[in-house]
Amino acid sequence: MNPTRLVTPSTVPSAPILSRRHWLAAAGLSTLGSVLTACGGGDDDGPREAHKRVQTLAQGLVKQGVVGAAAGWADPRQVRTAVAGMRRLGGNAPLATGDLMAIGSNTKAMTACAAASVVDQGLLRWDSTLAQTLPELAQSALPAYQQITLRDLLDHRAGVMGFSAIEDVDLFVNAVGPEVLARWQQPAQAEAFFLQWLLRQPPVRGTGADPGFAYSNAGYALAARMLRAATGLGWADLLRQRVAQPLGLSLFVGEPMRAGSQQSAGHEILDGRLQPLPLAEAPERVWLEVLDPAGAVSLTVEEDARWLQWHLRALRGDATPLPRSYVKGLQDLGHAPAGRYGLGWLVHAAHGTGWLLHNGQDAGFQAMSVVALDGSRAGLAHSNIATAESMGQLYDGVSTLVA
């Protein structure tokens, strides 16, 4: 089977229907626990040294085989960014600081931030349930899902299928068949069909030390549906109005090349070699976009660094445009044990310093973000390739950057 696309059942010869690229946007989160074991908690060396570090990181990633790489560092006052490499394997256009990079599941914190603004407005509560918010959808759902809450979904504690493993995608495609996938091509139709199917599947439990935690990309799609019921706004519009505009950020929803052919291409191993990935089109595209709230944001390295910088300021107690309940959630994570997940972030502790971490993978891109819970510094890295080796390289590079 082609490693980046999910084909229809072998009994029904057909063109590929669903791609793995979005559905598996957050695979590998469980490996984050060891990312910062080498990081210290000392003072940073100042912005000049930070600029050297981000340049070294971006250039070093390219030397290790990444096609194009971006790196960023922030403290509460300044950001430093750098890029290196190429937009496309075999091309002659260098990656530029203004190029978009897909951040995959690092989108989740932005979705949680948008949700917090709805909570602050009083349109929903963190403990608003599926039955209260989406009664028609809840009617056809299994009893186990009736009382799951908005916060359960954002913290991956609702027990819904993850769609972060190929087995989940296979189960869905084989259960509904390619004819259904080809027939439902309106976004609202695809979303409604998928969520109804999802909530009829048996609940899942985590396999780690905390069985109540089961990472779920699909859970974020369901959370976004709750937000739309409360606000009348689709996820992309809500993100722009409640996150991008208040924070002064420029975000793009979708793969970078949907913003223009001059943008960077994502790359994966196809047929044994690294290749640029084509954009998904009909009939699969509409189904992939159901999971956009879990991982569809693209942005420049500068914008990503500024997004992290707002977190630093909020964690220091400064006034920011971030929603009040989102900031409180971040502060509460500062008192949570290592390994706790909340609002799109994973808690880690190393050498007396607490960190918020997340990684993302989508459409042949990877991203890694780290934020110090004391509000002192943050680091990030992007790559336009997605391999097991490149994610490890991002881990190592960002941990060195913020050490």
Side-chain angles (χ1 to χ4, degrees):
M1 183 172 59
N2 186 309
T4 64
R5 301 179 76 85
L6 179 66
V7 297
T8 54
S10 58
T11 55
V12 186
S14 175
I17 289 292
L18 286 182
S19 162
R20 296 174 65 179
R21 299 195 296 275
H22 277 213
W23 296 89
L24 308 187
L29 178 68
S30 61
T31 65
L32 283 176
S34 62
V35 174
L36 290 180
T37 54
C39 286
D43 295 334
D44 69 81
D45 297 312
R48 180 172 298 179
E49 179 62 25
H51 186 62
K52 292 180 182 178
R53 287 188 175 191
V54 295
Q55 286 182 316
T56 299
L57 173 52
Q59 293 166 357
L61 288 169
V62 171
K63 289 178 181 178
Q64 294 177 78
V66 170
V67 176
W73 173 92
D75 69 12
R77 301 171 304 280
Q78 302 178 73
V79 300
R80 293 288 184 269
T81 62
V83 297
M86 309 302 289
R87 289 174 174 167
R88 186 182 184 92
L89 187 65
N92 55 15
L95 191 69
T97 55
D99 286 348
L100 297 172
M101 300 286 269
I103 61 171
S105 280
N106 288 2
T107 298
K108 288 182 171 67
M110 297 179 179
T111 299
C113 184
S117 75
V118 178
V119 170
D120 287 353
Q121 193 179 355
L123 298 178
L124 284 177
R125 304 183 310 275
W126 287 130
D127 63 357
S128 292
T129 66
L130 177 71
Q132 293 168 339
T133 310
L134 299 170
E136 293 184 1
L137 186 59
Q139 284 180 357
S140 61
L142 295 180
Y145 297 123
Q146 300 292 325
Q147 299 305 311
I148 60 173
T149 69
L150 176 63
R151 187 63 188 262
D152 289 338
L153 292 165
L154 297 174
D155 292 356
H156 303 298
R157 307 190 73 82
V160 298
M161 285 178 64
F163 282 81
S164 55
I166 188 60
E167 291 80 10
D168 292 351
V169 186
D170 283 338
L171 179 62
F172 176 67
V173 172
N174 283 281
V176 305
E179 295 84 1
V180 170
L181 298 178
R183 183 167 69 248
W184 299 109
Q185 285 296 294
Q186 294 301 314
Q189 293 174 333
E191 180 194 58
F193 184 96
F194 175 75
L195 293 180
Q196 287 176 353
W197 181 90
L198 177 74
L199 293 171
R200 292 175 184 144
Q201 308 312 304
V204 298
R205 291 178 64 80
T207 57
D210 180 4
F213 174 83
Y215 194 90
S216 178
N217 289 320
Y220 267 68
L222 185 55
R225 181 65 186 89
M226 294 176 71
L227 296 176
R228 188 167 89 242
T231 65
L233 294 172
W235 170 76
D237 289 335
L238 190 69
L239 197 70
R240 295 184 185 102
Q241 293 184 23
R242 303 298 184 93
V243 179
Q245 291 178 8
L247 299 180
L249 301 177
S250 178
L251 309 177
F252 181 77
V253 173
E255 302 97 320
M257 287 189 67
R258 294 202 188 276
S261 60
Q262 79 285 357
Q263 291 287 340
S264 178
H267 301 75
E268 287 185 2
I269 302 294
L270 302 176
D271 299 325
R273 61 189 180 92
L274 191 67
Q275 299 184 48
L277 292 180
L279 294 176
E281 300 298 347
E284 63 177 343
R285 179 180 174 183
V286 69
W287 294 94
L288 303 179
E289 291 176 349
V290 172
L291 293 188
D292 276 1
V297 165
S298 296
L299 74 175
T300 70
V301 63
E302 176 85 14
E303 298 295 275
D304 204 359
R306 291 174 59 213
W307 160 247
L308 299 185
Q309 186 182 53
W310 281 120
H311 289 66
L312 297 177
R313 292 171 177 172
L315 288 166
R316 286 164 57 96
D318 298 342
T320 74
L322 290 170
R324 181 179 65 257
S325 58
Y326 180 72
V327 174
K328 184 179 185 304
L330 298 180
Q331 293 169 338
D332 289 345
L333 288 173
H335 305 290
R340 176 69 66 179
Y341 190 104
L343 300 179
W345 292 102
L346 182 75
V347 179
H348 180 64
H351 301 286
T353 301
W355 303 88
L356 299 175
L357 309 94
H358 215 283
N359 71 332
Q361 177 173 318
D362 183 39
F365 292 82
Q366 291 177 334
M368 173 72 182
S369 292
V370 178
V371 177
L373 277 162
D374 64 6
S376 61
R377 60 206 187 276
L380 67 100
H382 301 158
S383 73
N384 64 359
I385 76 170
T387 68
E389 293 77 16
S390 59
M391 185 62 84
Q393 292 159 3
L394 295 189
Y395 288 166
D396 293 341
V398 173
S399 65
T400 299
L401 179 65
V402 298

